[in-house]
Amino acid sequence: MKTVRSPVAAARLAGSGPHPIVLVPTMGALHEGHLSLICHAKILAGRKGCVWVSVFVNPVQFGPGEDFSRYPRPFARDARLCREAGADVLFAPKPTGMYAPDHSVFVEESRLSAGLCGASRSGHFRGVCTVVAKLFHLTRADIAVFGEKDWQQLAVIRRMVRDLDFPVRIAAAPTIREPDGLAMSSRNAYLATEERAQAPVLRRALLAARERLLSGGSLPASRLVQSVIRDISRRPLAVVDYVEVVDADTLAPLRCAEHNVLVAVAVRFGKTRLIDNIHIP
Ligand code: AMP
């Protein structure tokens, strides 16, 4: 595995042959969820393609007061995991290499980014789109793999690729979970023992919502939202940021939960904000 730290070197190394480059963008602190994306990327790359994993804690997608400075950065461990998972290139630029001091061009998606996490994290998706666009250019990826855990991010990136004609195919991979149902996340490491014990309530509440919907056929979205909020709020340390019932493709709020439903939640445990979702086609 090659480790590349400079964007210029990355751009020089990329696009060197007829076989696909498959990119897995991450912020590091890798876990089984990331490794499943790398595994998916290897299948998409085939025997002759090349799997790039980027590890970059992107400053422009963090808002003031968010966890940019304390985000975990176990680089040596990440490099080992990438190597063991069979990545061909680890691209780990420094922030100063990615953004000039007077960087002034950003990519903004204006519709799908507005609700859900976009409503409580102003500027977040602008930062995500900007860095992903840069990663696509630098690596000249043919395919990029993203996790369904960040459903809104996946939808926003797909829209960016469609609307700006990026020559890249977006592949989605399912959410990998702990045995108790908690979606794996680099931020789970922040949870105190009692918070960690209560965090699986997100998954349980979403599964209960799916049961309610499947047994009723269709439901007013507001009733579904209320039931999820009630289930989550039974856990005393859980503070609901949002529970929303939206169309899984357009992310538009639904009045009636019937077809292609996405129930998405964000919940705080102390200073840690966790997200999860369930797709009910
Ligand atoms: P992050 O490092 O959190 O920015 O995530 C990098 C990529 O890994 C994104 O495409 C995420 O959606 C994906 N990802 C994060 N957690 C999981 C998970 N538990 N299962 C599958 N993919 C995940």
Side-chain angles (χ1 to χ4, degrees):
M1 184 183 75
K2 233 184 211 116
T3 299
V4 189
R5 309 227 51 176
S6 134
V8 177
R12 221 176 267 141
L13 182 69
S16 51
H19 304 295
I21 291 178
V22 186
L23 172 67
V24 179
T26 83
M27 295 206 300
L30 301 182
H31 51 67
E32 296 284 330
H34 298 114
L35 299 182
S36 79
L37 265 51
I38 299 174
C39 186
H40 203 69
K42 279 179 68 70
I43 294 167
L44 293 169
R47 256 184 342 111
K48 295 192 171 162
C50 188
V51 172
W52 285 58
V53 177
S54 61
V55 168
F56 181 62
V57 185
N58 174 36
V60 303
Q61 71 186 67
F62 288 79
E66 290 189 351
D67 56 343
F68 173 69
S69 53
R70 69 180 182 124
Y71 199 85
R73 292 164 170 86
F75 182 69
R77 179 178 178 274
D78 286 346
R80 177 175 57 77
L81 289 174
C82 283
R83 195 178 316 111
E84 288 170 2
D88 299 293
V89 180
L90 168 59
F91 178 39
K94 301 222 165 65
T96 45
M98 286 290 274
Y99 295 106
D102 57 350
H103 178 102
S104 57
V105 178
F106 295 86
V107 181
E108 191 158 339
E109 191 287 325
S110 57
R111 190 175 292 247
L112 304 175
S113 307
L116 304 173
C117 288
S120 41
R121 300 187 70 189
S122 162
H124 170 67
F125 287 110
R126 176 184 191 250
V128 169
C129 285
T130 302
V131 78
V132 171
K134 287 168 72 70
L135 291 170
F136 286 171
H137 288 313
L138 291 167
T139 63
R140 290 180 229 164
D142 300 290
I143 306 173
V145 187
F146 291 85
E148 289 179 348
K149 174 179 172 273
D150 299 278
W151 190 282
Q152 185 178 20
Q153 169 173 281
L154 180 59
V156 167
I157 297 295
R158 282 198 159 120
R159 181 61 61 91
M160 176 184 85
V161 163
R162 187 197 76 176
D163 287 358
L164 296 183
D165 306 297
F166 278 86
V168 60
R169 174 154 76 85
I170 304 301
T175 303
I176 304 298
R177 299 177 180 281
E178 301 287 355
D180 61 11
L182 178 64
M184 289 193 179
S185 163
S186 308
R187 292 189 165 101
N188 292 351
Y190 298 152
L191 295 169
T193 310
E194 193 45 37
E195 293 168 345
R196 173 64 188 82
Q198 297 187 15
V201 72
L202 273 72
R203 176 64 170 168
R204 280 204 296 277
L206 290 170
L207 287 173
R210 183 172 68 182
E211 277 312 302
R212 250 172 239 125
L213 190 53
L214 293 180
S215 59
S218 73
L219 270 180
S222 57
R223 275 202 21 222
L224 207 52
V225 167
Q226 285 314 317
S227 70
V228 174
I229 292 178
R230 200 181 50 235
D231 286 351
I232 293 176
S233 303
R234 286 207 183 97
R235 293 310 207 166
L237 299 178
V239 178
V240 173
D241 181 354
Y242 68 73
V243 173
E244 296 216 27
V245 175
V246 298
D247 178 277
D249 295 322
T250 64
L251 307 186
L254 294 174
R255 280 169 142 238
C256 178
E258 206 167 11
H259 302 297
N260 198 28
V261 174
L262 183 81
V263 186
V265 301
V267 177
R268 285 180 199 281
F269 288 88
K271 284 188 178 155
T272 308
R273 184 173 174 281
L274 303 180
I275 58 170
D276 203 348
N277 64 73
I278 196 162
H279 181 209
I280 309 157

